[in-house]
Amino acid sequence: MENILEKAQKTHNLDKEEIIFLLISDGEKLFKLADKIREQYVGDGVHLRGLIEFSNICRCSCMYCGIRCANKEVSRYRISPDDIIKLAQKGVNSGFKTIVLQSGEDVYFTKDIMCEIIKSIKSLGVALTLSIGERSFEEYKAFKDAGADRYLLRIETTDKDLYTKLHPNMSFENRMRCLKDLKSLGYETGTGCLIGLPGQSVESLAGDILFFKELNADMIGVGPFLPHPQTPLKDCPCGSFDLALKVMAITRLLLPDINIPATTAMETISPNGRLIALKSGANVFMPNISGDDYTSKYEIYPHKSGINATKSGVILEIEEKLHSINRHIAKDKGFRKIK
Ligand code: SAM
């Protein structure tokens, strides 16, 4: 264990066997080292990203996802472009330096509609992240030209057979193509995986981490799989918080200067999960700013923890929590600073 951690600290490289060893061993020393490397490379500031979940309409049917199109029990919504911009403005007024627009794969939001939204939000002087799924190179280019800075698209799993089973009518190759297009267009590119998918092995998680390194991802989001009762995976067990934390911490060792969120799924599965993640390698927090009506309907998994961060006092509460672990809200836009 000591030798592997020392190698990771010095070289930021590990092979598959070493990663597997860390994944199956006690995490205490790993979490401490990830925290130290986080401090050394990205400091004590925590970047807040204001998340707007603007549509839960989705053409995909990912087997684990509560808003999959095959789920007819979902109360569907789509926020209008004008209202999305108003929510972004509210976020900016509350002090957010980055707005994240996330949605299901909703075809209403064409290239032209998205570009108008992007231009309006960028005129507010913030960084903008998109997370709206798989699009063509041409669309990604148009969004970038309109001003989008970052894009999140999790690979979900690099195990191609598992990916194919879990994503009907989608292709692993196309997901990879999207990530490569995003990188080549100059987006800060975020990806990540789900932990504890049925049929997933530690070997495949080690493969996921090596893929993050190979892609040189700028952001990595990992979280436990949480079964939703209206999906085919409803009877499968939850992913493990501890394993998700380990994947996140090892990612910090291999990609020391990137942005890593303490994800909502971690908070949902474990009380104070986000604070624990922030002490184990994470440096980003993405509070919801969509408003309570929408947050409850964007139910990708049950009991999704979420507070409306534009309500008065919420940012102050977040700040107090961060101070309790000797951290603070970062003042800048939080782009990756390659050291
Ligand atoms: N449509 C966009 C995309 O495909 O990237 C963004 C929305 S999608 C709902 C956002 C993320 O939710 C997915 O990347 C997936 O990892 C996560 N997710 C969906 N269902 C989940 C579940 N049951 N448990 C944990 N995370 C889940």
Side-chain angles (χ1 to χ4, degrees):
M1 164 77 85
E2 270 71 25
N3 290 348
I4 295 176
L5 292 179
E6 201 184 318
K7 176 180 170 193
Q9 188 172 5
K10 281 194 184 139
T11 66
H12 305 295
N13 269 304
L14 290 177
D15 63 32
K16 198 167 190 173
E17 278 62 42
E18 291 163 334
I19 294 175
I20 293 170
F21 182 83
L22 292 180
L23 288 174
I24 58 174
S25 306
D26 182 84
E28 204 186 321
K29 288 182 180 150
L30 164 66
F31 302 146
K32 273 210 177 105
L33 180 61
D35 193 42
K36 186 173 156 194
I37 289 181
R38 183 272 312 153
E39 186 188 5
Q40 196 182 329
Y41 279 82
V42 294
D44 287 335
V46 174
H47 297 285
L48 299 191
R49 322 284 204 203
L51 175 64
I52 302 173
E53 291 161 335
F54 67 91
S55 168
N56 69 354
I57 296 170
C58 192
R59 64 178 169 175
C60 304
S61 249
C62 308
M63 301 293 265
Y64 45 79
C65 186
I67 62 167
R68 66 201 303 267
C69 72
N71 183 3
K72 303 298 174 208
E73 291 173 61
V74 180
S75 162
R76 302 280 173 181
Y77 72 87
R78 172 185 289 142
I79 306 182
S80 71
D82 281 352
D83 287 345
I84 295 172
I85 295 156
K86 282 186 196 142
L87 286 171
Q89 177 70 68
K90 233 172 144 180
V92 174
N93 296 346
S94 303
F96 285 94
K97 305 275 188 291
T98 290
I99 299 296
V100 182
L101 295 183
Q102 190 174 81
S103 68
E105 295 219 1
D106 183 350
V107 293
Y108 168 85
F109 290 94
T110 57
K111 180 180 82 181
D112 291 346
I113 292 178
M114 278 314 299
C115 285
E116 286 312 308
I117 298 171
I118 293 165
K119 283 181 201 154
S120 299
I121 295 181
K122 283 300 291 179
S123 74
L124 306 175
V126 276
L128 179 62
T129 306
L130 301 178
S131 177
I132 61 172
E134 297 179 14
R135 298 279 180 132
S136 65
F137 178 86
E138 190 212 351
E139 286 172 294
Y140 287 148
K141 181 167 185 328
F143 302 157
K144 186 82 183 59
D145 292 344
D149 302 287
R150 310 186 182 118
Y151 206 104
L152 304 175
L153 185 80
R154 286 183 176 176
I155 189 71
E156 315 293 1
T157 173
T158 54
D159 176 335
K160 190 177 166 187
D161 290 343
L162 184 59
Y163 184 93
T164 307
K165 276 187 206 147
L166 295 175
H167 301 94
N169 305 317
M170 291 169 76
S171 95
F172 185 70
E173 285 75 17
N174 195 48
R175 197 106 182 143
M176 283 288 186
R177 189 271 306 159
C178 288
L179 285 167
K180 301 216 161 116
D181 284 354
L182 291 165
K183 256 294 188 192
S184 74
L185 284 163
Y187 281 94
E188 282 207 343
T189 304
T191 189
C193 61
L194 283 165
I195 313 295
L197 290 165
Q200 190 180 40
S201 61
V202 279
E203 286 78 10
S204 106
L205 287 173
D208 295 351
I209 297 170
L210 288 171
F211 167 69
F212 304 156
K213 175 87 178 166
E214 188 194 320
L215 182 71
N216 188 19
D218 303 292
M219 304 172 282
I220 290 295
V222 299
F225 153 69
L226 299 160
H228 189 290
Q230 291 153 8
T231 63
L233 303 187
K234 63 182 182 340
D235 297 322
C236 297
C238 280
S240 140
F241 175 72
D242 190 60
L243 190 55
L245 210 58
K246 284 179 188 162
V247 172
M248 193 199 77
I250 299 168
T251 302
R252 170 62 72 200
L253 305 188
L254 298 198
L255 290 156
D257 55 8
I258 67 167
N259 285 313
I260 300 185
T263 57
T264 309
M266 285 192 173
E267 183 82 6
T268 304
I269 197 174
S270 165
N272 280 325
R274 258 188 307 229
L275 282 189
I276 298 169
L278 286 170
K279 290 198 284 185
S280 312
N283 69 322
V284 171
F285 179 29
M286 288 169 60
N288 208 298
I289 59 166
S290 325
D292 296 340
D293 285 358
Y294 300 124
T295 303
S296 59
K297 288 183 183 160
Y298 197 86
E299 202 196 50
I300 52 181
Y301 47 77
H303 315 298
K304 191 159 77 69
S305 109
I307 27 155
N308 181 4
T310 55
K311 273 195 192 144
S312 80
V314 173
I315 297 277
L316 214 63
E317 254 173 57
I318 294 173
E319 198 157 31
E320 277 169 13
K321 275 196 178 169
L322 293 178
H323 285 164
S324 76
I325 56 164
N326 297 319
R327 306 279 282 279
H328 59 269
I329 297 177
K331 301 273 181 288
D332 62 318
K333 289 180 183 160
F335 285 102
R336 180 181 186 186
K337 298 178 195 76
I338 297 177
K339 277 199 179 176

